[in-house]
Amino acid sequence: MSRKSEAYLPISTKPQPKFRVKALLGHCLYRRVVIWTVVIVFLLSITIFNPRLTARSQDVLDLVHGSKNEIKGTQVSEIIGLQKQDSEGDDQILAEEIQEEAEEEQEGEAEQQEEEEEEEEEEEEEGGELEENSNGPHWLRYKHLDGYYNGLRSLVPFSEYGPEYPKASSTHQSGQASIHRAKPPKPSIYRPHPDYDSDEYQQTYVPVKRCYVDEDMTVPAPDLYAYGGVPQGQPKAALGSYDLLGLREDVCFDRFGRYGPYGLGYDLELGGTGEALDTEREGSEAVWEKTGKINYESVDWAVAQERCTRANEGRFFTGNATRDFELAQAGRKRIDRIAIVIRTYVGFQWTSHALLNFRALVNELNLRSGGEYDVQFLLHVRDNNAPIWADPATVQKILDDNVPPEFHGLCTLWSEAQMKLYYPGNFGDTFENPSNGDIHGVYRSAHMPLQHFAIMHPEYAHFWNWEMDMRWTGSYYELFDRLGKWGAKQSRHGMWERSSKYYIPGLHGNWENFTKLVDHETQVSGKRPIFGPMAFTGKASLEEGDILLPPSCASGSDIRQCGVGEDADLITLNPLFDADESGWVFAGDVTGYDTQYEKPPRRCAIVTASRLSRRLLRVMHEETWRLHHSMFSEMFPPSMALHHGLKAVYAPHPVYLDRNWPQEEIENAFNGGRDHSSGGHGSPFDLTNEHNHKGTSWYYNSEFAGLLWRRWLGYTQMDGRGENGGRAGEGTKRGGQKEEEDPKSSGRLCLRSMLVHPIKWENPAEQE
């Protein structure tokens, strides 16, 4: 009967039979549908809840690809089974053909899956995610790097070295230490100074006379020691470059080669510090084989420094323009002198490690260089009622209470009350004052005492503004000498634009390519490159007029040679960024300018560590005393250089990252400001973006710098790893004597020369 006629049948009043499973399975079509449905649901359940898949990234596409690959193979197998049950003969042949095709498909899919997994592994190596992620900053997703903690027994020649990061296909290494030596190698004397005894040097420059630590001139200035090579797998710097600045990257320094000559590793009774006696020290005796363990108990560094300078005074210009002109015309070359001015304060805790650091500064910069540098301390006296400029007894008591005797003679005391006398008058209105500090206070105007110091010391051509919590693992002479020489080589053409951007070699390529990139970005921005003094509404002239550009900038000359060979007036260690709309908290701390106009153009470099020329400091001094202008400490020197056409450069020294950042993410985070720079909107110095610096080796809020430094010193540290990405002070205790002495360990750390900041404490006992 057709279904059409069913509509005319009477409605049945008989109860309808219940649905029977037996009847359903007894029908061939129903049976196949049910079996297929059950099988598919079962396989989907296995796939979705497969722990191997769910443990991987929860990206939707990953799940789709993973389940697709597993389901296809299983479904084909089940289909073949069904075909066998219901068919024979031709169906069997068809099933065999399907089986062959399925096997080929499975092989192809297996190969494809293997390739996809390899690609995923490569992506994870480049910028992988931790298994336990966080809703916090993006960098918490990146895996920690292990190669920093590879020690001396994993040392290899630089030609065989392959970094854990950034990845390079031909040289990429795991961060796990591979032990190449049963014992640590022996270090060698490291001398980055010129060969003062060579005929070439003595024919060109006034000869150098040897300097001594002691008054009897029996203890020559000691050498520091380094190891040829680098621990295998140690990461490369993510920002900046050794080769560009002329720094060596094919050697590394351990704690004994660096600080052993200054008292690390032997007892107080022998004139040492007593530090590192509780750390691993196999082979450390090599650093004392030639000099013995120097007794520093009675050393007076001011006397030693003055004695060295006086013995070599014929080598230097004097700071007197007339006399220096005469010296420049006669005989062999003279050189300028440079001061390293370290800012300290009453109440600073002088630890044994601080002693080691400042002994190294004086020895390497003054004694080993024949007096080319002087080390000086600016000691901030917080008691404004202390008559530090009138009563020698008050000065001596402050020194006795706050500074070790060996450094007394290097200290110049100052106070904020003194600065009010030196820079009197009304400084006018301030656009913004977020700190609510006084204009003469050290927080807002740390440049004032440095300006005063420069006026009182005309013998120095340049002044490095330095801080107590900065460390350098290599030779201080190499650092400051190479930075100064690199600065002199830079062209004024495009210098402000280049200096506003972090240099990322892994992304930007060599310096020439980086320069072309910046030129292109400047052109695309539609802005003219900054060149010479900057004009703006409300600008006041200096008494001596605008500063003249050097002869290399004369009309008709190659513009790219403008300023090449001219000493830089300002060398900074972080980019010179445009503070306007940068989000930096002190960007509006501008005082003494007419507030009816817009804020003057400003540049800034964080932190204050920088080299300033006498010329720049004189400009700052006049702007302060005569025009009553000032800006926040890190903004005033760069802005004065910008306004008056002085030569200013950011020196891209090597900066390391503690995690496996993708190169593009470094660019996005550190050059995410206006026109792909570090300034303006999107700046890494915006208060909301500064977290990106926590894993760097150089920034005031860094957590990585202190951790790595203390591990290098041989102390146990929490490794900063754990749930949700880990942070400083979290994780597992690593390093220390027990771990470094373990036969399975690669030994104590050996790092290339690098700046680390801030170092707020060193020996864990200082925290107790």
Side-chain angles (χ1 to χ4, degrees):
M1 182 183 295
S2 70
R3 291 189 57 85
K4 185 176 179 179
S5 63
E6 290 178 1
Y8 299 98
L9 293 175
I11 297 173
S12 176
T13 58
K14 185 179 179 180
Q16 295 295 318
K18 293 182 180 180
F19 181 82
R20 295 183 179 180
V21 174
K22 181 178 179 181
L24 175 64
L25 294 177
H27 194 287
C28 182
L29 177 62
Y30 286 160
R31 183 174 68 242
R32 292 190 178 189
V33 170
V34 170
I35 292 175
W36 275 57
T37 302
V38 171
V39 168
I40 290 173
V41 170
F42 175 71
L43 291 174
L44 281 173
S45 300
I46 292 176
T47 301
I48 292 173
F49 296 102
N50 188 333
R52 190 175 70 85
L53 287 173
T54 55
R56 292 173 60 183
S57 170
Q58 295 301 300
D59 188 280
V60 176
L61 291 177
D62 287 345
L63 287 176
V64 171
H65 291 315
S67 54
K68 176 175 139 185
N69 288 337
E70 293 192 15
I71 291 171
K72 277 189 177 179
T74 311
Q75 283 182 333
V76 169
S77 175
E78 295 293 331
I79 290 170
I80 294 172
L82 288 172
Q83 291 282 356
K84 285 181 180 178
Q85 288 179 12
D86 295 316
S87 305
E88 295 182 5
D90 293 340
D91 286 349
Q92 178 67 31
I93 296 172
L94 178 61
E96 291 175 358
E97 291 176 353
I98 293 174
Q99 173 73 29
E100 291 176 1
E101 291 177 1
E103 289 176 354
E104 291 176 0
E105 184 178 355
Q106 282 181 302
E107 290 176 3
E109 288 174 352
E111 292 177 359
Q112 182 180 356
Q113 184 175 2
E114 187 176 343
E115 291 175 0
E116 289 175 356
E117 289 176 353
E118 288 177 358
E119 289 176 1
E120 288 173 2
E121 288 176 2
E122 290 177 359
E123 289 175 0
E124 288 178 358
E125 288 175 354
E126 181 65 22
E129 295 187 357
L130 295 176
E131 290 184 1
E132 295 189 18
N133 209 338
S134 167
N135 293 324
H138 64 100
W139 44 265
L140 287 175
R141 302 196 309 263
Y142 310 141
K143 292 182 178 178
H144 284 87
L145 299 170
D146 298 314
Y148 293 112
Y149 311 105
N150 295 347
L152 284 171
R153 290 200 290 273
S154 66
L155 204 71
V156 295
F158 192 68
S159 59
E160 300 175 14
Y161 158 71
E164 175 191 11
Y165 174 87
K167 184 182 68 173
S169 57
S170 59
T171 59
H172 180 60
Q173 293 287 331
S174 165
Q176 300 299 321
S178 52
I179 300 174
H180 298 274
R181 305 166 184 269
K183 292 185 177 181
K186 188 172 182 179
S188 302
I189 289 174
Y190 188 71
R191 291 177 181 167
H193 303 73
D195 184 357
Y196 298 125
D197 295 329
S198 68
D199 292 338
E200 180 182 1
Y201 187 90
Q202 295 191 3
Q203 289 171 7
T204 306
Y205 297 93
V206 175
V208 177
K209 295 181 180 178
R210 178 175 292 187
C211 296
Y212 297 83
V213 172
D214 64 323
E215 193 169 359
D216 296 331
M217 299 176 67
T218 59
V219 182
D223 289 296
L224 71 160
Y225 284 74
Y227 295 85
V230 179
Q232 188 64 283
Q234 189 173 100
K236 281 193 169 186
L239 306 169
S241 168
Y242 288 91
D243 185 61
L244 175 67
L245 300 179
L247 300 167
R248 288 187 61 177
E249 64 174 328
D250 61 342
V251 296
C252 68
F253 301 84
D254 77 329
R255 53 183 172 268
F256 293 105
R258 179 72 188 92
Y259 281 151
Y262 308 117
L264 182 80
Y266 55 99
D267 288 319
L268 291 168
E269 290 77 9
L270 298 175
T273 62
E275 294 288 352
L277 295 176
D278 57 348
T279 70
E280 188 276 331
R281 40 190 180 140
E282 183 180 5
S284 63
E285 293 291 330
V287 304
W288 303 297
E289 286 179 354
K290 292 191 175 182
T291 62
K293 296 175 179 177
I294 298 174
N295 188 335
Y296 286 98
E297 185 177 1
S298 59
V299 170
D300 186 323
W301 290 107
V303 172
Q305 182 168 269
E306 183 181 358
R307 183 172 57 243
C308 182
T309 302
R310 191 168 57 249
N312 289 282
E313 61 184 354
R315 299 181 59 212
F316 309 113
F317 290 117
T318 65
N320 180 291
T322 303
R323 177 59 179 154
D324 290 345
F325 178 80
E326 295 172 353
L327 290 173
Q329 309 305 312
R332 287 170 285 195
K333 291 182 180 179
R334 267 77 172 175
I335 59 177
D336 289 323
R337 300 198 67 224
I338 300 171
I340 311 297
V341 183
I342 305 162
R343 292 179 15 235
T344 185
Y345 52 89
V346 165
F348 174 78
Q349 297 299 310
W350 284 81
T351 64
S352 296
H353 286 100
L355 290 179
L356 294 168
N357 181 55
F358 296 119
R359 287 172 182 173
L361 271 162
V362 180
N363 182 70
E364 291 158 22
L365 289 170
N366 180 272
L367 304 189
R368 291 294 312 173
S369 75
E372 184 177 346
Y373 293 80
D374 272 353
V375 175
Q376 304 280 355
F377 292 91
L378 273 180
L379 175 60
H380 178 202
V381 179
R382 293 171 171 172
D383 181 1
N384 284 324
N385 294 316
I388 56 176
W389 55 86
D391 182 20
T394 298
V395 171
Q396 190 58 52
K397 185 177 188 313
I398 291 172
L399 290 173
D400 290 340
D401 292 345
N402 293 280
V403 181
E406 61 189 275
F407 296 110
H408 278 189
L410 301 179
C411 292
T412 298
L413 279 60
W414 72 278
S415 68
E416 292 175 10
Q418 183 187 22
M419 291 301 104
K420 289 182 179 180
L421 291 174
Y422 197 69
Y423 293 117
N426 181 12
F427 275 75
D429 296 328
T430 297
F431 283 89
E432 299 171 17
N433 183 8
S435 67
N436 293 316
D438 188 271
I439 192 61
H440 293 92
V442 65
Y443 193 60
R444 292 182 66 203
S445 299
H447 46 273
M448 286 186 178
L450 182 61
Q451 291 166 192
H452 174 251
F453 181 88
I455 297 300
M456 301 303 293
H457 290 276
E459 67 271 26
Y460 303 122
H462 300 278
F463 303 79
W464 273 99
N465 190 26
W466 212 243
E467 298 180 13
M468 302 290 284
D469 59 353
M470 297 171 177
R471 301 290 185 269
W472 172 251
T473 56
S475 161
Y476 275 117
Y477 183 88
E478 183 177 19
L479 171 67
F480 292 123
D481 178 71
R482 304 311 190 263
L483 291 179
K485 288 177 178 175
W486 181 83
K489 292 177 182 177
Q490 300 314 296
S491 169
R492 281 175 169 263
H493 176 72
M495 70 176 182
W496 286 104
E497 291 74 27
R498 288 192 303 276
S499 294
S500 71
K501 189 178 179 77
Y502 276 102
Y503 174 43
I504 309 168
L507 187 68
H508 298 146
N510 60 32
W511 186 253
E512 181 181 1
N513 193 67
F514 176 71
T515 300
K516 290 178 180 177
L517 172 65
V518 175
D519 289 346
H520 173 72
E521 291 172 344
T522 304
Q523 186 177 8
V524 170
S525 73
K527 299 175 183 176
R528 294 181 60 184
I530 298 170
F531 189 78
M534 176 169 282
F536 58 90
T537 304
K539 179 181 178 180
S541 299
L542 300 174
E543 285 187 331
E544 297 181 1
D546 285 334
I547 293 170
L548 298 177
L549 295 175
S552 59
C553 302
S555 178
S557 301
D558 182 355
I559 189 63
R560 295 191 177 275
Q561 293 301 309
C562 174
V564 174
E566 173 193 20
D567 279 344
D569 291 289
L570 179 65
I571 300 175
T572 65
L573 299 173
N574 267 331
L576 290 156
F577 69 96
D578 185 350
D580 190 42
E581 298 182 347
S582 66
W584 180 53
V585 67
F586 300 111
D589 193 343
V590 178
T591 300
Y593 294 86
D594 195 332
T595 54
Q596 70 175 324
Y597 303 124
E598 294 290 329
K599 299 183 189 77
R602 303 168 315 287
R603 293 296 182 272
C604 179
I606 301 172
V607 295
T608 58
S610 54
R611 195 189 81 170
L612 297 83
S613 71
R614 164 171 299 284
R615 179 167 67 169
L616 173 57
L617 285 163
R618 288 185 64 179
V619 167
M620 294 164 59
H621 174 64
E622 183 180 341
E623 286 267 359
T624 305
W625 79 261
R626 189 172 70 84
L627 301 176
H628 291 101
H629 289 167
S630 189
M631 299 181 189
F632 198 79
S633 298
E634 288 146 312
M635 190 160 57
F636 194 50
S639 297
M640 292 302 97
L642 176 72
H643 293 179
H644 298 289
L646 278 70
K647 185 177 180 181
V649 296
Y650 151 55
H653 63 97
V655 176
Y656 291 82
L657 297 176
D658 68 337
R659 297 173 188 253
N660 192 359
W661 282 61
Q663 297 292 298
E664 293 79 6
E665 289 302 319
I666 302 175
E667 173 77 4
N668 293 338
F670 291 89
N671 289 325
R674 187 187 301 123
D675 303 324
H676 308 287
S677 73
S678 63
H681 182 69
S683 168
F685 309 110
D686 186 313
L687 188 62
T688 62
N689 293 334
E690 284 191 312
H691 61 82
N692 289 300
H693 297 270
K694 287 187 176 292
T696 70
S697 55
W698 178 258
Y699 198 68
Y700 79 89
N701 72 347
S702 168
E703 297 176 350
F704 177 50
L707 186 155
L708 180 61
W709 178 255
R710 289 184 285 274
R711 284 287 300 271
W712 180 78
L713 287 173
Y715 297 118
T716 302
Q717 288 287 286
M718 301 298 285
D719 62 8
R721 308 178 186 200
E723 295 182 358
N724 298 319
R727 289 295 300 278
E730 298 179 356
T732 306
K733 282 191 174 182
R734 295 296 307 276
Q737 184 175 13
K738 184 176 180 181
E739 182 173 321
E740 291 183 349
E741 289 180 346
D742 190 320
K744 297 179 181 178
S745 162
S746 60
R748 61 180 176 271
L749 272 59
C750 195
L751 296 175
R752 281 172 285 198
S753 54
M754 67 170 74
L755 281 167
V756 285
H757 170 71
I759 305 301
K760 297 301 184 184
W761 55 278
E762 289 162 291
N763 190 325
E766 298 167 20
Q767 295 291 92
E768 298 175 359

